[in-house]
Amino acid sequence: MVQKLDYLRETPSQTAGPYVHIGLSPRDAGFDIYDNQLGEDIAGPDAKGERITIQGRVLDGTGAPVRDVLIETWQANADGIYPGRGAVEDGFRGWGRVVPDAEGVFTIKTVKPGAAPGRHDTVMAPHLNLWLVARGINVGLNTRMYFADEEALNADDAVLNLIEQAHRRDSLLAQPDGDVYRFDIHLQGERETVFLDI
Amino acid sequence: MTGELYQRDRTWHPPALTPDYKTSVARSPRLPLLSLQNSDSELTGPTFGHGDIAAGDADLLSNYAQTGDPIGERIIVHGRVLDENARPVPNTLVEVWQANAGGRYRHVKDTYFAPVDPNFGGCGRTITDAEGRYAFRTVKPGAYPWRNWTNSWRPAHIHVSVFGTAFAQRLITQMYFEGDPLIPKCPIVATLKDPAAVTQLTAALDLNATIPLDTIAYKFDIVLRGHRATWFENRPEGN
């Protein structure tokens, strides 16, 4: 016999199910219960940097929009500082929660994050960390959204460069389109988004 | 500053594609996940304080009451949030949502015949204390039917969402109740391959925590990924 390892095991995940909005975004479930619904303001009014709007859809393997998804976002501020790692502007939360509208379009309003320090003195290109939960998704899906107009930083980004099939890196790039960035997430199929085990 | 997180054991968690749970078929990636070593982007995460929530948010018996108490079995659900090293996770946000005693959700998309309860919203939230403890008061949810097979019923369950301190610890799961005969019939529960994983999601009746003549109790501990110590670390190039 060997000595027993006394670690606990992580609580196993289960799908968020069809009614995730009741718990995490009740106004979108059609009722008003909390004074303060969390996740509605990512950057706060005092954040420096470029105000941006990101719009897109989450699509299933048949190409249909996933209307019951809930997306959480996490990012650094315009100086590349994550809350908890240094001083950020008052009200800068870095975290948000969005759900799509009736057509399946989600909208994220925030400031564009700055490049942040990565592992071993590398630089991470500006990105949002995204987490998707929905009915049919057994473990929340992680991905990153980068900005197509940050070509130089993206070219050196360690995570983008880990993607062996270079053309799949495009699945993580939000494309500027007028005054918004467009970012569709494909859960499955020909244009499948790169999802991460973080 | 804490070290990187232990790798998530994805053979313990459900796989993405679990065809008996039909919705997973078109909503599961077909290509493998890209494994990353943690950076600040994963090791940081949002924090919440008591200014974000109201004191009564954890009491589902009263947080949506209009004319009186909701109908149903009055229960306390309590436990601790720990990490894999058995260390408590203090000051972290725990959110729950559930159906009412008849299995009906207060959601525009739920059209099940069982009526909504005018005094029950079905969601709550709280922040763990310094020892990682949390508690909710609610009614025990009912089973409800869903369109998977023609005669599929979910076991009574409460959905649970937890943050931890790192975005990579983010977790949503479901809590089941000890002794429920629907548990082994459910294709969502069966996405878990290891019976021990189902056991870990099944809350135990906790008579010691009940309030006699008032409210019965169930205990549900939640374990988030642990941080590893960085004893010896080479510094290779790249990621």
Side-chain angles (χ1 to χ4, degrees), chain B residues 29-215:
Chain B
R30 287 292 175 274
L31 294 167
L33 303 181
L34 179 70
S35 294
L36 299 187
Q37 289 179 281
N38 296 155
S39 70
D40 271 1
S41 187
E42 291 79 35
L43 289 175
T44 55
T47 53
F48 301 92
H50 291 279
D52 288 318
I53 65 174
D57 286 353
D59 185 3
L60 285 71
L61 292 188
S62 64
N63 71 6
Y64 201 71
Q66 318 289 320
T67 57
D69 284 347
I71 299 287
E73 185 178 345
R74 296 159 60 86
I75 62 169
I76 289 165
V77 175
H78 77 108
R80 297 175 80 198
V81 180
L82 305 165
D83 71 12
E84 289 169 284
N85 298 311
R87 294 193 186 100
V89 182
N91 306 316
T92 200
L93 181 67
V94 182
E95 296 162 290
V96 295
W97 68 100
Q98 63 168 93
N100 68 22
R104 173 73 182 266
Y105 282 92
R106 183 176 287 280
H107 192 291
V108 286
K109 289 185 188 157
D110 188 353
T111 55
Y112 180 37
F113 313 121
V116 294
D117 183 330
N119 294 310
F120 191 70
C123 60
R125 53 192 187 178
T126 191
I127 291 175
T128 58
D129 72 8
E131 281 80 46
R133 288 185 300 245
Y134 75 92
F136 292 97
R137 192 168 72 144
T138 185
V139 295
K140 189 175 176 186
Y144 68 86
W146 58 301
R147 292 185 185 278
N148 190 64
W149 299 315
T150 49
N151 190 22
S152 292
W153 294 78
R154 294 301 325 281
H157 63 278
I158 296 177
H159 296 268
V160 182
S161 165
V162 197
F163 278 80
T165 56
F167 200 63
Q169 284 178 309
R170 196 74 183 83
L171 180 73
I172 279 181
T173 191
Q174 300 182 30
M175 183 202 103
Y176 304 105
F177 290 86
E178 178 181 354
D180 187 339
L182 286 169
I183 293 172
K185 310 272 187 203
C186 175
I188 290 178
V189 176
T191 62
L192 299 163
K193 302 307 172 205
D194 188 331
V198 180
T199 302
Q200 193 165 333
L201 293 187
T202 307
L205 172 67
D206 185 359
L207 274 181
N208 289 349
T210 65
I211 305 171
L213 304 176
D214 183 329
T215 309

Side-chain angles (χ1 to χ4, degrees), chain A residues 71-91:
Chain A
I71 304 172
E72 291 190 7
T73 76
W74 174 244
Q75 65 169 92
N77 73 359
D79 293 329
I81 301 170
Y82 286 93
R85 285 288 192 264
V88 295
E89 302 90 336
D90 280 348

Side-chain angles (χ1 to χ4, degrees), chain A residues 8-12 14 36 61 68 72 93 97 119 127 129 135-136 144 188 192 195 197-198, chain B residues 8 10 12-13 21 25-28 31 38 41-42 52 84 95 125 170 173 176 200 223 239:
Chain A
L8 302 178
R9 299 203 77 168
E10 189 187 8
T11 296
Q14 293 273 266
N36 178 24
D68 52 12
E72 291 190 7
R93 188 133 229 178
R97 235 175 214 171
R119 295 173 62 86
H127 68 278
N129 214 327
R135 176 172 68 103
R144 285 185 178 193
Q188 186 190 100
E192 189 171 302
F195 294 103
D197 182 14
I198 63 172
Chain B
R8 186 164 258 172
R10 290 183 181 271
W12 169 252
H13 287 283
Y21 173 28
V25 175
R27 293 185 173 192
S28 47
L31 294 167
N38 296 155
S41 187
E42 291 79 35
D52 288 318
E84 289 169 284
E95 296 162 290
R125 53 192 187 178
R170 196 74 183 83
T173 191
Y176 304 105
Q200 193 165 333
V223 180
N239 184 44

Side-chain angles (χ1 to χ4, degrees), chain A residues 24-166:
Chain A
L24 306 189
S25 188
R27 269 178 221 143
D28 298 293
F31 72 117
D32 217 11
I33 182 164
Y34 298 138
D35 294 337
N36 178 24
Q37 180 158 308
L38 297 170
E40 294 188 323
D41 193 0
I42 300 171
D46 298 333
K48 294 177 288 184
E50 182 192 347
R51 296 274 158 179
I52 58 168
T53 300
I54 302 150
Q55 285 197 313
R57 296 189 302 170
V58 178
L59 301 156
D60 72 12
T62 73
V66 178
R67 294 189 181 87
D68 52 12
V69 70
L70 180 134
I71 304 172
E72 291 190 7
T73 76
W74 174 244
Q75 65 169 92
N77 73 359
D79 293 329
I81 301 170
Y82 286 93
R85 285 288 192 264
V88 295
E89 302 90 336
D90 280 348
F92 182 86
R93 188 133 229 178
W95 172 81
R97 235 175 214 171
V98 295
V99 304
D101 64 17
E103 277 68 54
V105 176
F106 67 81
T107 302
I108 301 169
K109 288 182 182 293
T110 184
V111 296
K112 193 172 184 183
R119 295 173 62 86
H120 308 313
D121 305 318
T122 60
V123 172
M124 293 193 283
H127 68 278
L128 270 60
N129 214 327
L130 302 180
W131 186 66
L132 281 67
V133 292
R135 176 172 68 103
I137 296 175
N138 290 324
V139 184
L141 291 168
N142 286 99
T143 188
R144 285 185 178 193
M145 192 209 81
Y146 290 83
F147 297 87
D149 52 11
E150 296 285 354
E151 285 169 34
L153 286 163
N154 290 344
D156 288 334
D157 183 86
V159 170
L160 288 173
N161 282 310
L162 269 182
I163 302 170
E164 185 185 340
Q165 301 89 355

